[in-house]
Amino acid sequence: MSENMWNYPSTAGYIPGADLTGYKVEATDGGIGKVDKHSHEVGGQYIVVDTGIWIFGKEVLLPAGTITAVDAEAKTIHVARSKEEIKAAPEFDKDKHLGNAEYQHELGTHYSSGAGSGIVTPTPPGTPGTPPGADPTQKGGTTAY
């Protein structure tokens, strides 16, 4: 992503100051819940999604940089992450994690790395630490990318 993970992308259609509470949230592969809370603070923007019965009624925090579209008419937010990637994110506890810089860093790293999304970051062949099978120059090796 070229923009800060903790700001709404300029292309998402977010209107500064808009109340997103109650908006449905759609991952790339289906609905995940509704917005329970959100932040407008520049450099610290996010939505907290109440997942209802999905992943057993937990809440998840999504950095605003994961949002691809805000549809005010349909009251829907689309995010560029799969349900599995969101489910695999570091656990969120609103009493501990809101405003916690360490948690924000951990979560930002999770979402910017593609963790849990099936995205494989290519490692050049022969690079130290290349996982077995990822180096096509190794005997019997296959390419992971």
Side-chain angles (χ1 to χ4, degrees):
M1 285 191 178
S2 58
E3 297 184 55
N4 182 315
M5 178 65 66
W6 296 98
N7 287 321
Y8 291 95
S10 58
T11 58
Y14 170 72
I15 299 169
D19 183 6
L20 304 176
T21 306
Y23 277 43
K24 294 179 286 182
V25 180
E26 293 283 329
T28 57
D29 54 353
I32 61 167
K34 292 188 176 189
V35 176
D36 184 49
K37 179 177 176 52
H38 58 97
S39 167
H40 301 291
E41 184 180 326
V42 174
Q45 298 170 332
Y46 60 82
I47 59 174
V48 175
V49 181
D50 180 347
T51 63
I53 58 171
W54 182 70
I55 67 171
F56 310 108
K58 292 185 179 182
E59 290 184 321
V60 294
L61 188 142
L62 295 170
T66 63
I67 295 171
T68 57
V70 176
D71 183 340
E73 192 173 308
K75 293 194 177 242
T76 302
I77 294 173
H78 296 271
V79 295
R81 299 298 183 271
S82 69
K83 288 180 176 184
E84 191 58 39
E85 185 176 3
I86 294 166
K87 192 175 182 179
E91 190 169 332
F92 173 67
D93 178 335
K94 66 181 171 187
D95 295 328
K96 289 192 239 179
H97 296 132
L98 285 180
N100 180 314
E102 186 176 316
Y103 178 75
Q104 270 193 326
H105 176 74
E106 182 181 4
L107 197 63
T109 299
H110 170 79
Y111 285 118
S112 65
S113 72
S117 68
I119 297 170
V120 177
T121 304
T123 303
T127 302
T130 301
D135 186 345
T137 63
Q138 291 180 353
K139 186 175 181 177
T142 58
T143 304
Y145 45 91

